[in-house]
Amino acid sequence: PLYSADHAEDDRAELAAQRRAQQQSGHRLADGRWRGERYGPVRGVAVGTVFGAGDYQRKGRFEMSETGFHAGHVQPEWLDPSGAGCWSLVLNNDNGQSDFSSFETVAYAGAGGRNRGQNRTAAQSYDQSWDSAVNRALRANCENGRPVRVVRGPKLPGPHSTATSGGGFRYDGLYGVTKAEMVRTGPKHLQTCMFTLQRLESPCGDEAEDAKKKRGTATGTGRDAPGVRGKRSRKR
């Protein structure tokens, strides 16, 4: 049958019902935003929470998306559409020049530098730039001090993968982007946007602002609350 106005009305009603259910469960906020559209931790999701436990593929990605913790099933970064930064980051594959050997400090390679259709696991073939939305967002985190939620998955290279602990995607807490720089990497010495992420121990971002509100001393909005300040190299 042809798609009609009645079908469109049914679709709108179904979407509205889904949103109400998501709001009732706490996965969406009253204003329609997902609960993860914030800087800092997400209420109800403790550090160490595993999404899709027991699975070594994408079940955890679907769970994170459906519950509003990290939107999208493929892209590692969840970006703030305002351009103010990156809300969360999934570490789950070899990403070129990234170094995942340390739990406390991550050297993360940016986006771009690959031919159309290639994913991040493909070798970089030309220079990256700050024109990439991903690279601009992570550089913004470095400049404004807003933290990033870091999640590790079962395909992550190195000792901090979930592959040996039951799989799934594990939320490992907040990291500050302490450095954003353009450096030459690899045998071809290509320009690569490199970011240093450092694990944070104290509340920051929206979590810090929430704590202020509880004490009755808050000013401004949680979305503007700074976390850890980093330095941005201007190497080109």
Side-chain angles (χ1 to χ4, degrees):
L2 295 176
Y3 192 77
S4 67
D6 289 338
H7 291 125
E9 184 61 31
D10 290 343
D11 287 346
R12 285 193 290 269
E14 182 179 354
L15 180 60
Q18 289 176 350
R19 290 207 166 217
R20 286 194 297 271
Q22 291 162 349
Q23 289 172 331
Q24 290 170 359
S25 66
H27 297 158
R28 276 192 189 272
L29 306 181
D31 61 8
R33 289 183 297 125
W34 286 112
R35 61 177 178 166
E37 293 185 63
R38 72 192 313 260
Y39 295 97
V42 173
R43 184 170 290 117
V45 182
V47 173
T49 296
V50 178
F51 295 85
D55 183 78
Y56 294 83
Q57 298 299 323
R58 291 189 175 275
K59 181 180 178 181
R61 290 297 304 256
F62 282 99
E63 284 190 7
M64 288 191 292
S65 181
E66 291 166 359
T67 61
F69 183 73
H70 179 94
H73 304 146
V74 178
Q75 183 165 324
E77 306 89 3
W78 189 11
L79 308 183
D80 182 344
S82 74
C86 174
W87 286 316
S88 55
L89 176 63
V90 176
L91 307 179
N92 191 46
N93 287 293
D94 183 8
N95 188 19
Q97 300 302 318
S98 297
D99 183 353
F100 304 122
S101 59
S102 170
F103 184 79
E104 300 293 328
T105 305
V106 175
Y108 189 72
R114 295 167 179 84
N115 294 320
R116 184 181 296 275
Q118 291 183 314
N119 60 29
R120 302 283 185 86
T121 62
Q124 187 177 334
S125 55
Y126 55 90
D127 290 341
Q128 293 184 357
S129 77
W130 295 115
D131 293 335
S132 160
V134 168
N135 298 338
R136 288 199 308 271
L138 286 168
R139 185 171 65 174
N141 284 89
C142 181
E143 293 173 335
N144 60 38
R146 293 186 173 104
V148 180
R149 295 187 302 275
V150 167
V151 177
R152 289 180 171 88
K155 296 182 180 180
L156 180 71
H160 307 297
S161 163
T162 64
T164 59
S165 59
F169 289 77
R170 184 187 64 234
Y171 170 48
D172 283 337
L174 302 181
Y175 284 66
V177 183
T178 59
K179 185 183 292 185
E181 57 184 345
M182 187 72 76
V183 299
R184 293 195 177 277
T185 64
K188 296 182 179 179
H189 304 287
L190 297 173
Q191 295 271 36
T192 304
C193 299
M194 293 298 302
F195 304 93
T196 301
L197 281 67
Q198 184 69 41
R199 190 166 185 267
L200 303 175
E201 299 295 339
S202 58
C204 59
D206 291 344
E207 182 185 33
E209 194 67 12
D210 289 346
K212 289 180 181 180
K213 290 178 181 178
K214 289 179 180 179
R215 295 195 300 267
T217 60
T219 59
T221 64
R223 293 176 65 84
D224 297 326
V228 55
R229 297 284 177 178
K231 293 182 178 180
R232 176 168 66 88
S233 170
R234 296 187 177 275
K235 291 181 181 179
R236 297 289 179 186

